[in-house]
Amino acid sequence: MLLAAILVAILATFSQWWFFAPITRCMTYPLTTGLLVGIFMGHPMLGMLAGANIQLVYLGWINAGGVMPSNTMVAGIYGTALTILSSANPKLAVTFAIPFSLLGLLMVQIYQTLNSFWVHKADKALDEGKINQVRWLNFVPSFFVALIVYGVPAFCLVLFGKGWATALINAIPESLTTALEVVGGLMPALGIAMLLNYLGKKSLNAFFFIGFFLAVYLKLDTTAVAIFSAAIAFLIFISQSSKDAKKDAEPAKKKVRRLTLNNRAGESEIVAAAVTAPNASGAAAIDVNDYQVQLNKKDLIRTWLWQQTDEAAYNYERLQALGLTNMMIYPIKKLYSPERQAEELKKYMVFFNTEPHMVGPIIHGIALSMEEARANGQEVSAEDINGVRTGLMGPAAGIGDTVQQGIIFPILASIGATMALDGNYLGPVFFTVIFELLIYVIGYLMFMFGYKKGKSSVISILKNGLIDKVTNAFSIVGLMVVGTMAATRVTIDTPLVWTVGKSTMKLQAILNTLAPGLIPLAITLLIWKLVAKKISPTWIILGIFVIGILFSYLNVFGVVAAK
């Protein structure tokens, strides 16, 4: 058990100490960490099932703008560990995970507050010209903070927790255990509702119901619905793109005043006007071949790899600033003389925060191209570079968080969780591998595109309308997959039976004649409405606990086997 405790402690540490994103990114998700905790503790199947059940609750919990509504890292690792220690039904993992999740918010506050101290140490190091200290400050202190705040409690839980975890489960009456299973069956509706609130548009909401009824009537699984919805989304995307192409092909027309033989008064006429796109910077193009110092492909790849450490010392005061300063050490050393390097790095020690992995890297590519121009004597000031970075971090975060956390993640996590709950070990593997391949391949391409095109790149992407069409296409897939999840993973029915004379009437049978799955659908829609009204998810969780336990004891709600 000592080795298991050490391994789980390391996993818990890495779940918050994001020293290299391709390794640590999916350690924030219970679907991935549940299987790992299970392997470390000798119960891989139980760990995977517990992690998948926990993941369903957090499908819609999106951490945007540095705001964390719940600590999914602690929920997944600690909740799974306690489930294994107590040998509990994996459906109870949710009830274990949520208290840990709320406690985890305090752990986040401690971690990100303490990391603010290293930012000031880095400021002082740059004032003294000690560039390499910035790298040390980005990694070493934050590791020990993560180890103490996350790793040590996880170690103690696994090493010393089996006795009291088993006693806790044995002390719970069977009726309460059944009631808690009802709570576990209700809880995925919250994650689904939060996703619907994020993805939902009046023009697209019908796709949620299509996905739901494909699952209840045709018994299609999540993967089948995902493939079907992807085909629909592709056809709609092609149709919209064709219409837009026809509009763009029409010459722009405008009214102009001109004197002709037929128009001697110079009245306004409609004439075709050729429209030319101005240079985004308003200046003549610069021949980069004339640069005395240049970054080559190897330099760019190396900088992109360093960019994956930009949240190692994530902190409340300046968020990604210390990590991005660490990222720029290599190119700054390549571009500038030693006496200028520390001063040039200081511009990156300002507050900065954006989506870091998929769309956000385009900003760093742009900054590199501007930095290269500045190093070669072009009229690019430090204020220019930070002005572009600051101006683009909001749009990049808006696009990146929406597509990555709000669309790609829930689609892949839903498929992975469904496979896991069916006992397939490929579920977490599929989710982790495909998710990371998508976001990091796109992130790399965006980084290189930003460098190649300079500050005009994001402007061109935002103006051509492609983002909206792609987002809508992904939203269609997301809504249909989420509809399937509502039908199959909100595992609640009613055991209510009435006796009238010699006959009995089963409420669930009556509901099934109207439409299968009406209770899960009604619960999901009700919670969706509460989320849309800005009711705190914490209050909704408490309400689910109270209603689930009460309705279980009243024999109104029961649990059905996962479909």
Side-chain angles (χ1 to χ4, degrees):
M1 190 59 73
L2 176 61
L3 178 59
I6 293 172
L7 292 174
V8 173
I10 293 172
L11 179 64
T13 302
F14 286 0
S15 74
Q16 179 59 74
W17 182 56
W18 301 325
F19 69 96
F20 187 65
I23 294 176
T24 62
R25 180 67 181 93
C26 282
M27 290 183 185
T28 62
Y29 295 126
L31 181 57
T32 301
T33 56
L35 177 59
L36 291 174
V37 171
I39 292 171
F40 295 159
M41 297 182 67
H43 297 276
M45 180 58 72
L46 180 54
M48 180 179 69
L49 293 174
N53 275 293
I54 295 169
Q55 185 65 79
L56 292 181
V57 181
Y58 296 104
L59 278 178
W61 296 68
I62 296 170
N63 304 330
V67 177
M68 182 174 285
S70 185
N71 195 321
T72 58
M73 297 91 79
V74 172
I77 295 172
Y78 286 56
T80 300
L82 189 56
T83 302
I84 294 172
L85 287 170
S86 59
S87 301
N89 187 316
K91 289 185 178 180
L92 293 180
V94 172
T95 61
F96 296 148
I98 288 173
F100 279 124
S101 172
L102 299 176
L103 176 64
L105 292 178
L106 176 61
M107 298 163 78
V108 169
Q109 292 171 357
I110 294 171
Y111 178 76
Q112 295 190 13
T113 299
L114 291 177
N115 279 344
S116 299
F117 290 103
W118 325 133
V119 175
H120 295 283
K121 293 287 187 181
D123 287 334
K124 184 178 179 182
L126 289 177
D127 286 338
E128 297 173 354
K130 300 175 181 178
I131 292 175
N132 290 331
Q133 276 195 20
V134 172
R135 186 151 286 166
W136 186 88
L137 288 165
N138 186 55
F139 292 110
V140 179
S142 57
F143 165 75
F144 283 105
V145 175
L147 177 65
I148 294 169
V149 175
Y150 285 81
V152 172
F155 176 84
C156 294
L157 173 65
V158 175
L159 191 61
F160 306 116
K162 184 171 179 60
W164 64 263
T166 304
L168 175 65
I169 290 296
N170 292 336
I172 298 177
E174 185 177 348
S175 59
L176 182 56
T177 300
T178 302
L180 290 175
E181 289 181 3
V182 170
V183 172
L186 287 169
M187 204 62 76
L190 174 58
I192 292 167
M194 294 180 72
L195 270 177
L196 289 172
N197 193 55
Y198 196 79
L199 294 173
K201 298 178 181 179
K202 288 184 178 180
S203 60
L204 299 177
N205 285 342
F207 289 101
F208 164 75
F209 295 96
I210 293 173
F212 183 90
F213 288 109
L214 282 174
V216 297
Y217 281 114
L218 300 183
K219 308 301 180 184
L220 296 182
D221 61 19
T222 308
T223 304
V225 172
I227 295 170
F228 184 60
S229 61
I232 294 175
F234 178 74
L235 292 174
I236 292 175
F237 175 81
I238 293 297
S239 176
Q240 290 177 340
S241 299
S242 298
K243 290 178 181 179
D244 291 344
K246 290 180 180 179
K247 289 180 181 179
D248 293 340
E250 296 177 1
K253 295 183 178 182
K254 63 180 181 179
K255 288 188 174 183
V256 297
R257 290 184 178 273
R258 64 179 184 179
L259 291 173
T260 67
L261 291 174
N262 296 322
N263 182 19
R264 302 189 183 205
E267 295 177 356
S268 297
E269 294 181 359
I270 302 294
V271 297
V275 180
T276 56
N279 185 287
S281 64
I286 301 169
D287 187 358
V288 297
N289 294 321
D290 294 335
Y291 285 175
Q292 297 299 310
V293 287
Q294 295 186 40
L295 299 172
N296 56 37
K297 187 68 172 289
K298 183 179 178 181
D299 298 329
L300 295 174
I301 293 174
R302 189 168 177 178
T303 304
W304 176 74
L305 289 172
W306 278 114
Q307 188 256 318
Q308 307 310 316
T309 70
D310 62 352
E311 293 186 315
Y314 199 72
N315 61 88
Y316 279 130
E317 184 175 325
R318 301 187 213 171
L319 299 179
Q320 298 167 354
L322 182 54
L324 293 176
T325 305
N326 173 68
M327 172 194 76
M328 291 300 297
I329 289 177
Y330 176 75
I332 289 292
K333 283 186 173 181
K334 175 88 181 272
L335 293 172
Y336 296 99
S337 60
E339 58 271 14
R340 286 187 61 183
Q341 291 169 5
E343 191 63 32
E344 294 296 340
L345 280 171
K346 288 181 181 179
K347 71 172 83 72
Y348 294 95
M349 284 298 296
V350 299
F351 175 93
F352 189 89
N353 193 50
T354 195
E355 182 279 312
H357 307 304
M358 195 174 75
V359 177
I362 196 170
I363 301 175
H364 312 313
I366 293 168
L368 277 180
S369 69
M370 297 180 73
E371 201 71 71
E372 192 177 53
R374 175 175 166 81
N376 284 277
Q378 300 296 330
E379 294 183 3
V380 179
S381 67
E383 290 76 16
D384 291 335
I385 295 174
N386 270 340
V388 171
R389 292 173 71 239
T390 304
L392 293 177
M393 69 180 185
I399 297 169
D401 287 334
T402 298
V403 176
Q404 182 192 142
Q405 296 189 58
I407 298 175
I408 295 177
F409 160 69
I411 292 172
L412 295 177
S414 297
I415 296 172
T418 299
M419 295 170 66
L421 291 171
D422 289 337
N424 190 339
Y425 284 114
L426 288 178
V429 176
F430 163 84
F431 161 71
T432 303
V433 172
I434 301 301
F435 181 68
E436 294 214 354
L437 273 176
L438 275 175
I439 64 174
Y440 290 111
V441 168
I442 294 173
Y444 172 80
L445 295 175
M446 295 295 276
F447 182 90
M448 295 301 179
F449 182 73
Y451 172 77
K452 182 179 179 181
K453 297 295 184 180
K455 63 183 179 180
S456 65
S457 55
V458 172
I459 296 172
S460 65
I461 290 175
L462 293 175
K463 285 186 175 181
N464 64 13
L466 178 63
I467 291 296
D468 289 337
K469 290 193 283 286
V470 170
T471 301
N472 280 341
F474 275 110
S475 294
I476 290 169
V477 179
L479 286 167
M480 291 184 67
V481 168
V482 169
T484 307
M485 298 300 294
T488 57
R489 298 306 169 190
V490 181
T491 53
I492 295 297
D493 64 4
T494 178
L496 279 176
V497 177
W498 290 286
T499 302
V500 180
K502 294 183 179 181
S503 62
T504 58
M505 299 176 62
K506 296 181 179 180
L507 179 58
Q508 186 62 53
I510 295 172
L511 292 175
N512 286 343
T513 60
L514 298 173
L518 281 180
I519 290 179
L521 179 61
I523 291 169
T524 302
L525 294 178
L526 174 61
I527 296 177
W528 183 10
K529 186 173 182 179
L530 294 176
V531 171
K533 288 183 174 293
K534 309 297 183 184
I535 304 298
S536 169
T538 302
W539 286 110
I540 296 175
I541 287 172
L542 293 175
I544 289 173
F545 266 94
V546 172
I547 296 297
I549 292 172
L550 178 63
F551 277 31
S552 175
Y553 276 102
L554 293 175
N555 206 37
V556 176
F557 280 167
V559 179
V560 294
K563 299 174 184 176

